[in-house]
Amino acid sequence: MQESRETVYTLVVVYISGMAHFDEKSGIVVAPTEWGQWYQTQSEVMIEVNLEPDTKGKEVQVILKPKQLKCTVRGQVIFEGVPFDVISESDSIWTIEDRKLLRIQLIKCQVKTDHCWTSLLKDQYQPRPDIVHEMRKKLDLEQFQIENPGMDFSGAKLSKNYDKKYLDKTERELGPVSQD
């Protein structure tokens, strides 16, 4: 029985390590905001809030509930609202780095293919349609990597047919996509 647990643990570590490696090699697609930026993977959403230098943890309040997000720094509300989709309260975390960056990691409850958050909060912090389109492409490549762990999709490009199919979907959801 003990041997079986160790094997499962090793597989979990490889999976997590492999996905971190994928993001390092392929980069991230960020949605800029007035207070920082956010980006996503298949299983999580990362929020980065720029802080004034020397901000201490006791000056920051972050509420991470399945249907509520709120970030307050030094008494000022930075953002507040309902997340785009339900998050795992018990697995989501936040930390302050170098007393100048607040990093919030939200764990998605809905982990499935073709599930791209098109805004951070309901009707708030929606990236431009072209950024959402690039996020979708990145999530699809990440899914290919999960399904085919022996292959490297970090530098892959998707075909024009893919762009046509998903540009139409993005435009229906968010409006015209600029193709610069």
Side-chain angles (χ1 to χ4, degrees):
M1 190 71 164
Q2 182 68 17
E3 224 174 285
S4 177
R5 280 191 206 151
E6 288 176 13
T7 303
V8 170
Y9 178 75
T10 303
L11 290 174
V12 170
V13 171
V14 169
Y15 173 75
I16 292 170
S17 169
M19 289 321 301
H21 180 64
F22 178 79
D23 284 337
E24 288 169 7
K25 288 179 72 178
S26 66
I28 57 175
V29 178
V30 299
T33 67
E34 66 270 8
W35 40 258
Q37 64 187 19
W38 67 274
Y39 58 94
Q40 64 185 305
T41 68
Q42 286 282 343
S43 59
E44 61 192 27
V45 174
M46 297 295 295
I47 304 168
E48 296 177 351
V49 178
N50 299 318
L51 302 172
E52 293 178 20
D54 296 321
T55 301
K56 296 177 178 71
K58 64 184 178 184
E59 299 173 300
V60 176
Q61 180 187 23
V62 179
I63 298 172
L64 304 172
K65 303 244 181 226
K67 294 187 177 187
Q68 179 194 11
L69 291 179
K70 184 176 181 181
C71 175
T72 306
V73 178
R74 295 182 172 163
Q76 180 183 2
V77 175
I78 305 300
F79 60 80
E80 178 177 18
V82 177
F84 179 80
D85 204 350
V86 180
I87 61 166
S88 171
E89 179 179 357
S90 61
D91 295 325
S92 298
I93 59 170
W94 64 274
T95 185
I96 296 176
E97 296 179 13
D98 300 325
R99 292 183 148 184
K100 62 182 179 182
L101 178 69
L102 171 63
R103 189 178 307 269
I104 304 169
Q105 180 183 21
L106 307 176
I107 304 302
K108 297 177 179 178
C109 284
Q110 296 276 342
V111 179
K112 59 185 179 183
T113 59
D114 196 29
H115 187 67
C116 177
W117 284 29
T118 56
S119 64
L120 178 61
L121 304 174
K122 300 274 185 185
D123 302 320
Q124 296 182 64
Y125 308 110
Q126 181 181 58
R128 295 186 328 252
D130 59 320
I131 293 174
V132 172
H133 181 66
E134 291 302 315
M135 284 179 168
R136 276 199 171 104
K137 288 165 76 172
K138 173 84 166 51
L139 292 175
D140 284 347
L141 288 173
E142 183 181 347
Q143 185 62 39
F144 295 158
Q145 186 69 56
I146 291 168
E147 293 170 356
N148 303 282
M151 300 179 73
D152 182 6
F153 291 93
S154 61
K157 301 287 183 222
L158 298 169
S159 76
K160 295 277 185 193
N161 290 337
Y162 176 93
D163 278 345
K164 176 67 177 135
K165 176 183 175 184
Y166 285 100
L167 276 173
D168 290 346
K169 179 178 182 173
T170 301
E171 287 178 342
R172 280 192 309 275
E173 292 174 356
L174 306 173
V177 174
S178 72
Q179 295 186 12
D180 300 329

